Amino acid sequence: MKEVIEELEKRRANARLGGGVARIDAQHKRGKLTARERIELLMDENSFEEFDTYVEHRCTEFGMEKTKVPGDGVVTGWGTINGRVVYVFAKDFTVMGGSLSETHARKMTKIQDMALKNRAPIIGLFDAGGARIQEGVDALGGYGEVFTRNVMASGVIPQISVIMGPCAGGDVYSPAMTDFIFMVRDTSYMFVTGPDVVKTVTNETVTAEELGGAKVHTSKSSVADGSYENDVEALLQMRRLMDFLPSNNRSGVPALPAADSADREDHSLDTLIPDNPNKPYDMKELILKVADEGDFFEIQEAFGKNMITGFARMEGRTVGIVANQPMVLAGVLDSDASRKAARFVRFCDCFEIPIVTFVDVPGFLPGTAQEYGGLIKHGAKLLFAYAEATVPKITVITRKAYGGAYDVMSSKHIRGDLNYAWPSAEIAVMGAKGAAEILYRADLADPEKIKARIDEYQRRFANPFVAAERGYIDEVILPHGTRRRICRGLNMLRNKTLENPWKKHDNIPL
Amino acid sequence: MFKKILIANRGEIACRVMKTAKLMGIKTVAVYSDADRDAVHVEMADEAVHLGPPPAAQSYLLIDKIIDACKRTGAEAVHPGYGFLSEREAFPIALEKNGLVFIGPNPKAIAAMGDKIESKKAAAAAKVSTVPGYMGEIRDGKHAVEIADGIGYPVMIKASAGGGGKGMRIAYNAREAAEGFELARSEAKSSFGDDRCFVEKFIENPRHIEIQVLGDKHGNVVYLHERECSIQRRNQKVLEEAPSPLLDEKTRKAMGEQAVALAKAVGYDSAGTVEFVAGQDRSFFFLEMNTRLQVEHPVTEMITGIDLVEQMIRVAAGEKLPFKQPDIKINGWAVESRVYAEDPFRNFLPSIGRLVKYRPPEEGRFGNVTYRNDTGVEEGGEISMFYDPMIAKFVTHAPTRLEAIDAQADGLDAFYIDGIAHNVPFISAVMHHPRWRSGKISTGFIKEEYPEGFKPRVPEGDELANLVAVAAAMDHNSNSRRRAITHQMSGQQVRFAKRRMVRIGDSERLVEVAGGNGNPTYVTWLKSDGTRGETREIESTWTPGEPVWRGKVGGKQVSVQVRPILNGCEVQYRGIKAPAYVYTEREAALAALMPVKEAPDLSKYLLCPMPGLVKAINVTEGQAVQAGDNLAIVEAMKMENILRAERDGVVKKINCKAGDSLAVDAVILEFVA
């Protein structure tokens, strides 16, 4: 027995070294941690249990039988984050560049299967060179197996990808099908084809950073949902994110003991809306002042900034926040903002996370760029997502809710549960000036007459009461009581039961 | 006594006057501009009258509108506060014509003291010690040199109509005197439309000491001792105290009596201030007399126990002063900090905007220390570009100077403001500056002690230990809460390492944390050899989300401002401002492997130094510029700020145009690298 134990210790020690000390040092020199170090940071202390530590590839082509390393370029297993079960795989760049072989893929699918079967989230840490070319189609087949499982798990358990090094070719599509992608600035990049191929095919000269760095994917392509300064910052933030997320689509949201009282009033909100309707204000102030402890985990902070999406807690329980941001493009709905919010709303609906929407929207963004870019279909995504969502939906209109955008932003008409408006709300087809100029075209030449018309429209519609008279707004509330109203509302809606008609799946305008 | 008075001012001073009026049972009327519609002084008043658009010239300076407001509301008297109309003789004259009372001095006294040259003549006539100098008009540069030679160098050449440092030159020799005269004269001409200048002795390492006087309409005048206001930045007072650490009884009495003599000479009949410049040898010379309630009047109130506003109102109503000179004693020491919306980390550039959070320390008497905060804003209010950027005057009173300073330090630790940049970190750091604490100060203090601008203090010693303890306790508290999340796997208790590596700025300390969960937390320092060092007990009711951590560390009361950042918080305490992280030992070891990234090279960019409006872009793309060239003009707080090239270069790209409004740090233009 003693010898076997010695053998085990030896093998373990050997496996833990991955690609060896020299490669670990090289990894550190690049500013990156090793797969096992990353898992250590992600999981509760001593909670990680590794599987398939000794798995080796079986390839015999191109002399591969001589280069075998236990673990085969990926570390897999499970552990806990603040006591909640999480499955994890981490690509090990020190072992054959983390390249994907048949056995490597099999280790991943084993973990994916367990996560799905046991209904717990799965986190993938990416830092790898793509398919192991020596294995040819075996590697491609492996990818396919991983992809299928990503799709099967989608909407059942949260799947999160953190890109912490290269991620190219076949490797990008597994993260692409997960719920959230996060990147590490300066050390990670993602693309389907790298700079060399780009140069050959399109004659474009571009660096890996310019083609697929964190900045590009968080602000331009919207492939990534956030980025962090380094590995440590990223992984500790993943722990923070996991505290917001449910374990699966049936578990309900996790709850933390709340230190913040539900009836906390904030009188400074009464002056949040400037007197001048064209002056912006920061919607994030409202979010931070309403949420428990001012704790807000923003999703896609750098993209489509005219829309804010992210997680917060109310009385300790997770909610998804969607809000127009008047500071950017007056909070207008454009294609980017619509797509961003639509995906977020659908995530919340998948996982039974109630949605709180703050509305200050002047309408959809006009122009050829938007129309050619398919604003109709992108806007429809958000409309569709809100309308189909069956989770509790609370809406607060702070200022403008104009035109079709009013309907889209979780209005009563698309099954909003509680629709509140601040006294400063203006719910109308459009702003008073635009409306008067269309209705009274004949008066356009006379500035005094048209001003009177604008004032008239302003008096009639630039308020929440017309909508409230019709029951489209349940109550006009004072800004300082917003948190109390939302907390009460969420409690009242705790047992909301609403089912959509049976369908194989819907046909959202993708 | 009046039944109702109007306060022709805004902000903290309007609130300050109303506070006393309310105590006296007098109804109050506020006036306001469009920008102040929701301001605290409007809310506080019994009635409020709208004056006009935000610029003062179209609102707070309109005498007719204020008189009209009095008539509409039935106010019998007007308190002008400071600034605005307070020292315009036309105002009391107009009020009187309309049968209204001015709560301030008579117009003749205002006129007599309003002109710098005239007031000096009056002071000399009243045998007030004046700075040796030439009061007549100076003909030319040669004349200026003659006079300067006569006085003895260094001399100061100053515009008669001047103020705020404009039209002022110091000369150490004849050549400088000739040059300085020409420069001062042309500046005076362009700034004030009046090119008269005078020359006087320049006092080195001067201190600014002023005497508060109070007179009634029956010829009685007393002095309420002195205030020292030597801590100034560009002639703007920042810290004030009463009494002055410089004066002895003899000097105090001499200054007080001279101030009273001057006040009597001009028939002064309200609260006023006689300003002196003092040498380190306690020589003192008359500077000017301010015929109004001063910003810094609270320190005098705190040491004398006399409510100056109340006395102003009473004497205006014709009452006699209720005390005589011997009744006025000095009790303890008071220090005032002016909390300004100015960014100390950006050379004190003004900052405007919404007060997203505004939590001043609680007012009141705590043991033998009194906290007082004169303010005219509240959370959710606005620091507007139209008016003075002062947010509050934070005053502490204690038996001794050092106790009052320590009370300032404690209070400022808890003075939490977010949304705009402010000078709390700076004044907080000054409270720990040995020279300020020693009292060996001069008006050059800030320039001499912070020649390179202000940087936060580096945490060390006991302050570092307190921050380590607080950070570790907060982390411990937050961990135990997260450990209580629902949906945990059963059969496994979540454990956290007790050992923590606490990083405050660049310092790291290894500690062990115990206790907590409603009981005191104990933080024990671990030495590098593994032995246990000091333990501090921490007691606090702080919960996450509260902006100020308050509690006891090792039995002592501590307040630390905490602003959340990723995986940690930024702590602000005793003029220290640093990121704080609490790691496990393993996390710390791995974090140490992370690359230190160099801050991006911003020298290629012209950044907008403050939120403001682009007035002009004075270069074009491709243009070669030299260091010092005027690149752009940004307007903020009604001030046009010229942005100049820091070095030679070529403009690559311009990102904005005139009329754009920019956030702080927005890139205005880029240079070719």
Side-chain angles (χ1 to χ4, degrees), chain A residues 173-205:
Chain A
Y173 279 107
S174 173
M177 287 188 292
T178 60
D179 296 301
F180 297 111
I181 299 178
F182 296 93
M183 296 180 75
V184 179
R185 289 196 277 276
D186 306 321
T187 44
S188 77
Y189 53 84
M190 279 181 96
F191 34 67
V192 178
T193 48
D196 296 344
V197 181
V198 169
K199 177 79 186 156
T200 317
V201 177
T202 69
N203 216 18
E204 253 181 306
T205 309

Side-chain angles (χ1 to χ4, degrees), chain B residues 527-580:
Chain B
K527 296 180 189 156
S528 50
D529 61 3
T531 58
R532 298 162 68 85
E534 188 202 352
T535 296
R536 285 195 185 190
E537 185 188 88
I538 296 120
E539 273 184 284
S540 174
T541 55
W542 180 85
T543 55
E546 281 180 51
V548 179
W549 186 96
R550 282 188 183 81
K552 278 190 172 158
V553 179
K556 275 190 224 138
Q557 196 64 41
V558 168
S559 303
V560 179
Q561 303 188 12
V562 289
R563 288 172 175 79
I565 54 175
L566 285 184
N567 302 320
C569 63
E570 185 197 78
V571 290
Q572 205 173 301
Y573 169 65
R574 315 259 118 162
I576 296 159
K577 188 176 175 182

Side-chain angles (χ1 to χ4, degrees), chain A residues 101-302:
Chain A
S101 68
E102 183 198 358
T103 43
H104 175 127
R106 200 167 288 169
K107 280 182 72 172
M108 287 170 70
T109 56
K110 183 175 182 181
I111 279 296
Q112 287 181 298
D113 288 340
M114 288 186 77
L116 179 57
K117 191 164 61 189
N118 299 315
R119 295 293 194 266
I122 181 164
I123 300 176
L125 310 179
F126 290 83
D127 180 7
R132 198 170 299 161
I133 301 167
Q134 296 92 331
E135 293 210 0
V137 76
D138 281 343
L140 297 184
Y143 272 127
E145 298 286 335
V146 171
F147 298 156
T148 306
R149 282 164 180 81
N150 282 133
V151 175
M152 290 304 108
S154 181
V156 184
I157 53 171
Q159 303 182 80
I160 290 162
S161 307
V162 193
I163 316 300
M164 313 185 84
C167 181
D171 260 16
V172 300
Y173 279 107
S174 173
M177 287 188 292
T178 60
D179 296 301
F180 297 111
I181 299 178
F182 296 93
M183 296 180 75
V184 179
R185 289 196 277 276
D186 306 321
T187 44
S188 77
Y189 53 84
M190 279 181 96
F191 34 67
V192 178
T193 48
D196 296 344
V197 181
V198 169
K199 177 79 186 156
T200 317
V201 177
T202 69
N203 216 18
E204 253 181 306
T205 309
V206 67
T207 64
E209 181 67 27
E210 287 165 349
L211 187 61
K215 191 168 180 201
V216 171
H217 284 316
T218 51
S219 64
K220 278 209 172 93
S221 72
S222 83
V223 164
D225 296 282
S227 66
Y228 298 102
E229 207 47 47
N230 57 49
D231 285 12
V232 175
E233 191 178 281
L235 293 162
L236 295 180
Q237 282 297 304
M238 290 305 103
R239 288 180 60 86
R240 174 170 166 241
L241 173 64
M242 291 310 294
D243 282 353
F244 283 99
L245 301 186
S247 298
N248 60 62
N249 59 344
R250 311 281 289 270
S251 68
V253 296
L256 279 179
D260 208 348
S261 117
D263 49 15
R264 172 172 56 81
E265 291 188 343
D266 196 320
H267 287 266
S268 68
L269 292 178
D270 294 341
T271 56
L272 181 64
I273 308 294
D275 289 339
N276 178 348
N278 296 319
K279 209 179 147 200
Y281 60 93
D282 191 357
M283 190 64 98
K284 274 188 201 166
E285 182 182 335
L286 170 60
I287 297 170
L288 294 176
K289 285 185 172 174
V290 163
D292 278 7
E293 298 153 19
D295 193 8
F296 181 55
F297 193 101
E298 193 165 351
I299 297 292
Q300 299 223 333
E301 185 177 358

Side-chain angles (χ1 to χ4, degrees), chain B residues 297-373:
Chain B
H297 74 273
V299 288
T300 298
E301 295 185 325
M302 300 298 272
I303 59 158
T304 58
I306 293 167
D307 182 332
L308 283 166
V309 173
E310 180 189 340
Q311 294 310 322
M312 283 179 86
I313 295 173
R314 288 192 185 283
V315 297
E319 289 187 20
K320 270 189 189 167
L321 287 179
F323 34 69
K324 297 253 174 319
Q325 192 60 52
D327 303 333
I328 301 162
K329 302 265 180 349
I330 295 178
N331 165 33
W333 212 285
V335 177
E336 172 179 286
S337 291
R338 295 197 190 183
V339 179
Y340 279 114
E342 290 177 344
D343 190 345
F345 303 106
R346 290 167 180 267
N347 201 21
F348 296 91
L349 276 171
S351 172
I352 52 169
R354 183 173 155 82
L355 285 165
V356 173
K357 285 226 167 96
Y358 176 69
R359 311 272 168 91
E362 196 189 341
E363 292 185 280
R365 202 181 154 95
F366 307 94
N368 54 14
V369 171
T370 306
Y371 284 2
R372 166 173 169 180
N373 191 46

